[in-house]
Amino acid sequence: MMVSLYPIRNVVGFLLMIVGGMMLSCIPFSVYFGESDWKALFGAALITASAGFLFRQFKPKTGNHQVRKREGYLIVASGWISMVLFSALPYLFSGLFDNPVDAFFESISGMTTTGATIISDIEAMPKGILFWRSLTQWIGGMGIIVLTIALFPLLGIGGIELFVAEAPGPTSDKIHPRIQQTAKSLWLIYVSFTGILMLILWAAGMTFYDAINHALTTMATGGFSTKNASIAAYNIPQIQYPILLFMFLAGTNYTLIYWGLQGKLKKVWASDEFKVYVSFVLAIGFAVAGSIMYHTDLNIEESLRTGFFQVVSLVTTTGYVSADYTLWGPGTTMIFFCLLFVGASAGSTSGGIKLVRHWVFLKNTMLEFRRLIHPRAILPIKMNGNVVNTKILSHIQVFLLLYLALFIIGSFAVSTMGLDFETATSAVATALGNVGPGIGKVGPTDNFAWLPNNVKITLSFLMILGRLELFTILVLFTPYFWKSN
Amino acid sequence: MNIVIAGAGDVGYHLAELLAQESQNITLIDRDEDVLEMVSNRLDVLTICGDCASPEILQSAGVKKANLFLAVTTSEKTNLISSILAKKMGATKTVARVQNQEYIEKNTKSDFMDLGVDSVICPNKLAAQELQKLIQESYFTDVFDFEGGKMSVVGLTLEACSPLKNKTIRELRVSSTLSGTVRPIAILRDSSTILPEGSTTLKENDHVFFMTNDRKKLPLKEYVGKENGKINRIMIVGGGNLTYSTAKMLEKDFNVTIVEKNKDRCNYLAEHLQNALIINADPSNMDMLEEEGLEHMDAFLALTPNSETNIITSLSAKNHGVFKTIAQVENSDYVHISQNIGVDTLINKKLIAANNIFRFIRKGKVEEIVSLKGVDAELIEFELHRDNQLTKHPIKDLPLPKSVIIGGIIRNNKGLIPNGDFQMKNKDKVIVFAMPETIPVVEDLFR
């Protein structure tokens, strides 16, 4: 195999040191609340950071340390997996989880910003561990921004390549000529939005602790809450509207947010994906609100708020719950099942298929009909006025089929492990799309604690697959990756 | 006036021809000795062989004393450089021909102006504008505007069921509700020009040029005698630059289908045009054109580089019942035969460019000049600057040569169609229709 290991060790070690540092930042909360979980956090931090430190030692004196495609994929995959494994340490050390699989499930669900939980009584958890749980999502969201902006375009995956890698002429979607600068600008948006949302929620009546936790998991489109009832525990408009808005923003392409903040609103509105995002959310939101009016006795404002909240929550793959959407009739439940497959914009922290891929696929399908009538016509697909080249087009189609295949295989697998049809399909869809809640026995008011271990492991694998845009992990299982040519 | 023309291609030659008739001092620069020899045999011009971007050649062509320097070679870079050099060497006014349409945008134009290129013209753009006009005014085969449309000349061909058929001009004047707003100024019948008199009878297939002061509102299209002439679907064969600029202008308002042989060119067009349908196929394949709905097309533009292909495909489009056919021809001699062969309009972008430059040059002396295709006469717009013999008597008593027609008057921004009793005034803008040999006489009268 022609992979040089040192750069991989180096990056993974660096990531682990950051994760270790982050663990330490949870300790003030456990000290403030006078709980003893700081020991677990401290121990985990120590082990994680020293593992990271060790990984970075022993630089071989000879050999080529260049990062090429193979190293790139391995860095992403092994970096993510080691972060996930070490993030489970605080859970394990705290002794709150009897089953180690549960600890890993919770940590994977956090790092992949999924938000599916196995904790039955969240409010009984120690505050330091709970903060760590929210922080894993925030770290995961930050990681995904770096990946989508900096690394995925180089590897040609992630949907973002539509805007960056192949755009002909001057790539207007790049913010800075250098990736490092770009990543810094986007982090700044991420961090400052988190801060703003925290202040808004705090001012709106949440405790400081709840405000910071919800701000962290909203911006990451994660969906972990510190309440058993999730956002339904705060049934007041001044808390739900800010969260709704920031979920929507977190599902927007960060490059567009950057342009928007720069005052270049024309550029934002010129984006086809953004138009699709807005119109899709509006259309489904109103439809669901109407259905809520019909099935419950909520008034117009409450129906609109709840409807849009739930739609945005699922489209952006956040997974917050402000009401039980399975009680609004079978048609609406079906809509929510389908929303598990949507995903928001490329270049955001949301997971799933993402609207841009749906849009390109839909356009191509329509054009295929036109091609039947005009067999000799040249009918290219355009995004934002640029032609989508055939390589990207086939990549997107392969992605969609692969996604479908993984959904079917996954559903089949968990069905054989004893889940009913509804629960099996929605659990797989929600894991693959990094959403969080599903329908059936993993619906918005249920959790994943009751699932057998083998289902939890399968879903964990699917969460990582989905988060890393399928190809990054699957390529490691192909013979081409390991052949020496 | 001393005029230096760089490039003796179609544009350069045609310009030299137009200008030589007016006895200007013309120097023509070109690299090709054979072409220059041919030119000097036919025209009374001085020829210099060499690269027109070379300062030495420019010097020897007398650029220093030139009133006008026209760079019209096929290379836009050469044109721009030689124009800049000529300006610095002392030419009063410079004009450069370019291909890149970015160069004729306002900002770029003024950048070039700073460098010494007074005017840039783009034959593709001019031809595309002409095509657009012909499509929008689909009943007419020719449209020319004076003073932004206050007066226009339109050409139309009388079909079998035209209401004007077999009527005399006198009948037309009496019966028509349009008298005072429309006036026929020339009839082209079997490639000979007839100046209409009261007793002239109009016939089928006559190509009639009308002077009008309101071409948009008048029901002139009824004169043609065609039904259902609203244009919606347009097919363009050939995907060159002219097609691109034309389609860009037309695709918003019409359904445009473009047929082009070259796959890469198709991809380029598909990328840069928003609504037009691009078909990758050989335009000379009639079966394919039929399959793409040729007979449902309202207009057919043949713009391939090959004149013969263009004419043949246009003719078969006509046979398939396409209402409006326009063909581009490279050979400027073909332009005059359109009425005889059955294609509605033949255009030549080099002639269009040359005529445009010519109009630009003449602008100093006259307000506007237009030559009608196939008609051996020109329309010239003059402005009366003072009271002279022309303003003392009504038109019928003026000492004008017989073939000269006062076609229209623009007075106080209003277009008027004069009759014999009309009397001109100072500050009137007068549009005169005149045969070439009478132009000097007319120019003297108006000066």
Side-chain angles (χ1 to χ4, degrees):
Chain A
M1 191 199 28
M2 300 177 65
V3 176
S4 81
L5 281 175
Y6 176 71
I8 302 170
R9 277 200 289 133
N10 190 28
V11 175
V12 171
F14 179 69
L15 289 173
L16 289 181
M17 284 165 80
I18 292 178
V19 171
M22 290 287 196
M23 284 176 190
L24 288 178
S25 74
C26 305
I27 292 175
F29 287 100
S30 84
V31 172
Y32 175 81
F33 287 100
E35 286 162 336
S36 59
D37 53 330
W38 65 269
K39 290 177 207 154
L41 285 162
F42 188 73
L46 209 63
I47 291 177
T48 309
S50 17
F53 181 76
L54 279 176
F55 271 9
R56 304 191 74 185
Q57 301 310 306
F58 311 117
K59 182 180 180 180
K61 293 219 170 60
T62 54
N64 186 359
H65 302 319
Q66 225 183 340
V67 175
R68 281 157 302 192
K69 287 244 149 129
R70 282 194 173 96
E71 284 83 1
Y73 284 110
L74 275 179
I75 286 176
V76 175
S78 56
W80 214 269
I81 289 167
S82 47
M83 273 162 77
V84 159
L85 294 179
F86 281 90
S87 304
L89 290 180
Y91 302 137
L92 286 172
F93 292 171
S94 67
L96 295 161
F97 296 78
D98 308 327
N99 180 356
V101 173
D102 282 357
F104 288 112
F105 184 91
E106 195 73 7
S107 125
I108 289 169
S109 170
M111 275 290 175
T112 58
T113 76
T114 305
T117 185
I118 46 82
I119 303 172
S120 304
D121 188 359
I122 297 167
E123 284 154 54
M125 297 286 282
K127 297 288 187 285
I129 292 290
L130 218 46
F131 183 75
W132 171 243
R133 181 167 165 267
S134 305
L135 201 57
T136 52
Q137 294 205 319
W138 197 72
I139 298 169
M142 192 179 242
I144 217 65
I145 292 175
V146 183
L147 284 183
T148 41
I149 303 298
L151 214 54
F152 282 170
L154 301 183
L155 301 176
I157 57 177
I160 195 87
E161 73 274 8
L162 272 167
F163 310 108
V164 184
E166 303 287 344
T171 53
S172 51
D173 272 275
K174 264 191 159 179
I175 294 174
H176 292 293
R178 282 173 60 83
I179 284 169
Q180 238 178 18
Q181 288 293 321
T182 309
K184 264 185 203 160
S185 305
L186 300 187
W187 273 352
L188 201 64
I189 294 173
Y190 188 61
V191 174
S192 47
F193 274 30
T194 310
I196 293 167
L197 178 61
M198 189 206 79
L199 292 175
I200 293 175
L201 293 179
W202 194 18
M206 275 194 186
T207 65
F208 176 78
Y209 178 77
D210 286 339
I212 192 166
N213 275 291
H214 284 100
L216 291 174
T217 56
T218 303
M219 281 318 291
T221 69
F224 275 157
S225 173
T226 49
K227 297 287 176 194
N228 287 330
S230 189
I231 303 299
Y234 301 99
N235 195 10
I236 39 175
Q238 63 264 40
I239 284 180
Q240 294 195 342
Y241 280 123
I243 294 182
L244 173 57
L245 174 70
F246 277 81
M247 279 198 293
F248 184 84
L249 286 174
T252 313
N253 187 338
Y254 271 56
T255 319
L256 291 183
I257 296 183
Y258 181 86
W259 294 129
L261 291 174
Q262 298 260 307
K264 296 173 183 162
L265 293 175
K266 245 190 195 162
K267 233 171 165 167
V268 177
W269 197 240
S271 156
D272 284 344
E273 191 185 19
F274 187 65
K275 277 182 250 181
V276 173
Y277 182 35
V278 173
S279 1
F280 183 80
V281 165
L282 285 178
I284 305 290
F286 279 118
V288 169
S291 156
I292 295 174
M293 291 275 286
Y294 179 78
H295 285 282
T296 69
D297 46 7
L298 295 179
N299 65 26
I300 294 184
E301 189 273 335
E302 285 167 327
S303 303
L304 283 172
R305 169 155 50 94
T306 317
F308 272 96
F309 191 95
Q310 241 16 98
V311 168
V312 170
S313 170
L314 260 68
V315 168
T316 61
T317 74
T318 308
Y320 278 148
V321 177
S322 68
D324 186 351
Y325 51 72
T326 54
L327 302 177
W328 302 332
T332 318
T333 309
M334 197 61 210
I335 290 181
F336 280 99
F337 179 71
C338 294
L339 288 183
L340 298 176
F341 294 91
V342 176
S345 316
S348 73
T349 53
S350 78
I353 294 174
K354 298 192 178 63
L355 282 164
V356 68
R357 292 200 178 98
H358 289 291
W359 185 238
V360 168
F361 179 73
L362 198 72
K363 271 191 158 179
N364 192 35
T365 309
M366 291 315 291
L367 285 180
E368 197 58 40
F369 286 110
R370 208 171 173 201
R371 286 187 194 111
L372 292 177
I373 307 296
H374 300 283
R376 293 178 199 81
I378 304 284
L379 298 166
I381 298 167
K382 290 186 185 173
M383 272 305 281
N384 306 340
N386 294 324
V387 172
V388 176
N389 84 26
T390 47
K391 236 164 123 185
I392 294 178
L393 187 63
S394 91
H395 183 84
I396 287 175
Q397 283 168 343
V398 170
F399 181 92
L400 285 167
L401 287 173
L402 207 55
Y403 200 93
L404 190 65
L406 283 169
F407 166 68
I408 292 169
I409 296 168
S411 304
F412 173 72
V414 296
S415 295
T416 59
M417 297 169 193
L419 267 58
D420 65 86
F421 180 78
E422 212 179 20
T423 311
T425 49
S426 70
V428 167
T430 202
L432 203 52
N434 301 132
V435 182
I439 54 175
K441 296 200 184 73
V442 290
T445 53
D446 308 300
N447 62 44
F448 288 69
W450 62 276
L451 293 170
N453 274 348
N454 47 8
V455 174
K456 283 178 187 158
I457 293 169
T458 313
L459 294 182
S460 303
F461 179 67
L462 291 175
M463 284 190 263
I464 296 183
L465 267 189
R467 179 74 284 184
L468 298 180
E469 307 285 343
L470 312 187
F471 291 103
T472 323
I473 298 290
L474 291 178
V475 73
L476 304 180
F477 294 99
T478 60
Y480 318 110
F481 189 86
W482 303 102
K483 270 186 189 160
S484 48
N485 57 353
Chain B
M1 195 149 80
N2 297 318
I3 300 173
V4 178
I5 304 175
D10 277 347
V11 181
Y13 178 79
H14 189 70
L15 268 173
E17 197 179 15
L18 287 171
L19 293 166
Q21 283 172 359
E22 310 202 331
S23 51
Q24 316 271 22
N25 299 322
I26 296 163
T27 311
L28 200 56
I29 312 175
D30 200 283
R31 276 182 171 168
D32 192 334
E33 219 159 329
D34 298 338
V35 171
L36 288 179
E37 200 183 316
M38 186 273 290
V39 173
S40 56
N41 285 341
R42 290 199 204 166
L43 303 175
D44 180 18
V45 298
L46 177 68
T47 59
I48 289 174
C49 183
D51 180 6
C52 60
S54 128
E56 197 188 322
I57 297 287
L58 288 174
Q59 197 85 40
S60 61
V63 166
K64 204 185 262 180
K65 282 185 191 145
N67 303 82
L68 189 63
F69 179 82
L70 305 170
V72 290
T73 71
T74 46
S75 151
E76 64 183 354
K77 271 97 186 167
T78 308
N79 292 341
L80 289 169
I81 290 174
S82 55
S83 296
I84 293 167
L85 283 174
K87 185 79 176 188
K88 302 288 173 212
M89 291 166 90
T92 319
K93 204 159 196 184
T94 58
V95 179
R97 165 190 175 186
V98 296
Q99 266 99 45
N100 188 342
Q101 298 212 10
E102 284 174 280
Y103 290 173
I104 55 170
E105 276 161 24
K106 240 187 189 155
N107 295 334
T108 327
K109 239 179 173 171
S110 69
D111 285 346
F112 279 130
M113 198 102 93
D114 293 341
L115 286 169
V117 187
D118 294 312
S119 188
V120 280
I121 62 140
C122 174
N124 270 328
K125 183 78 184 171
L126 295 170
Q129 280 165 342
E130 174 132 347
L131 284 171
Q132 188 192 22
K133 220 164 23 166
L134 288 173
I135 292 290
Q136 280 169 347
E137 315 268 329
S138 56
Y139 294 96
F140 308 138
T141 54
D142 308 80
V143 179
F144 301 103
D145 287 337
F146 293 92
E147 301 289 319
K150 287 184 189 92
M151 267 299 188
S152 315
V153 172
V154 298
L156 47 85
T157 306
L158 301 184
E159 303 280 316
C161 46
S162 165
L164 300 191
K165 205 174 85 176
N166 300 330
K167 288 208 170 139
T168 62
I169 299 292
R170 195 175 295 114
E171 279 173 331
L172 195 68
R173 274 188 201 142
V174 176
S175 67
S176 170
T177 50
L178 306 174
S179 63
T181 51
V182 173
R183 150 174 209 179
I185 50 166
I187 299 162
L188 188 64
R189 185 178 295 163
D190 303 330
S191 28
S192 62
T193 308
I194 302 168
L195 294 185
E197 289 168 25
S199 57
T200 313
T201 310
L202 295 172
K203 288 187 182 161
E204 187 183 334
N205 285 335
D206 272 2
H207 192 68
V208 190
F209 290 95
F210 288 95
M211 191 93 190
T212 169
N213 57 5
D214 195 351
R215 77 171 152 86
K216 295 242 160 70
K217 286 203 198 103
L218 290 178
L220 278 169
K221 56 188 175 189
E222 284 164 19
Y223 288 2
V224 179
K226 267 188 204 175
E227 284 160 31
N228 195 15
K230 182 106 183 75
I231 289 194
N232 178 26
R233 285 174 292 252
I234 302 170
M235 182 180 274
I236 307 180
V237 298
N241 287 327
L242 177 55
T243 300
Y244 175 63
S245 350
T246 311
K248 193 132 201 154
M249 286 196 250
L250 294 177
E251 67 172 352
K252 270 188 226 104
D253 306 323
F254 304 95
N255 282 322
V256 179
T257 306
I258 298 174
V259 181
E260 160 65 36
K261 224 188 320 194
N262 183 315
K263 183 103 188 236
D264 289 340
R265 185 64 193 171
C266 283
N267 286 328
Y268 176 86
L269 291 171
E271 189 176 339
H272 289 86
L273 295 171
Q274 296 307 317
N275 304 322
L277 177 66
I278 319 291
I279 309 284
N280 179 216
D282 188 346
S284 54
N285 178 350
M286 284 317 287
D287 288 344
M288 186 279 306
L289 292 184
E290 278 169 34
E291 203 175 290
E292 290 300 340
L294 180 59
E295 50 224 281
H296 302 296
M297 294 292 162
D298 304 311
F300 183 89
L301 314 186
L303 308 177
T304 73
N306 185 315
S307 312
E308 287 75 20
T309 308
N310 290 342
I311 292 173
I312 302 290
T313 49
S314 299
L315 286 175
S316 43
K318 200 90 214 173
N319 279 338
H320 280 80
V322 178
F323 169 69
K324 179 96 181 171
T325 53
I326 302 173
Q328 177 194 218
V329 290
E330 283 296 305
N331 186 334
S332 48
D333 295 334
Y334 285 176
V335 169
H336 307 296
I337 60 171
S338 63
Q339 274 75 37
N340 298 342
I341 61 172
V343 179
D344 286 326
T345 310
L346 294 177
I347 63 153
N348 177 301
K349 58 182 179 190
K350 288 164 186 163
L351 275 189
I352 293 173
N355 285 335
N356 251 281
I357 298 174
F358 186 56
R359 283 156 74 172
F360 174 80
I361 299 165
R362 296 292 298 266
K363 272 232 165 117
K365 265 206 275 175
V366 300
E367 298 298 311
E368 185 75 271
I369 183 158
V370 166
S371 10
L372 299 179
K373 250 172 267 166
V375 176
D376 192 19
E378 284 184 277
L379 280 160
I380 309 172
E381 182 187 347
F382 294 98
E383 185 172 351
L384 287 170
H385 293 291
R386 59 194 155 85
D387 288 312
N388 61 10
Q389 48 177 331
L390 290 173
T391 59
K392 284 184 189 121
H393 307 284
I395 289 174
K396 63 180 178 201
D397 298 331
L398 293 177
L400 291 169
K402 200 166 169 260
S403 67
V404 172
I405 301 174
I406 306 286
I409 311 275
I410 298 168
R411 179 179 288 174
N412 301 330
N413 277 328
K414 256 184 75 182
L416 304 167
I417 305 283
N419 56 22
D421 299 323
F422 191 91
Q423 194 161 346
M424 291 186 274
K425 282 205 297 199
N426 188 13
K427 295 259 162 25
D428 278 357
K429 286 178 177 163
V430 185
I431 297 156
V432 180
F433 178 84
M435 298 291 189
E437 62 271 15
T438 59
I439 290 176
V441 184
V442 177
E443 277 185 343
D444 280 346
L445 277 171
F446 278 87
R447 209 162 281 153

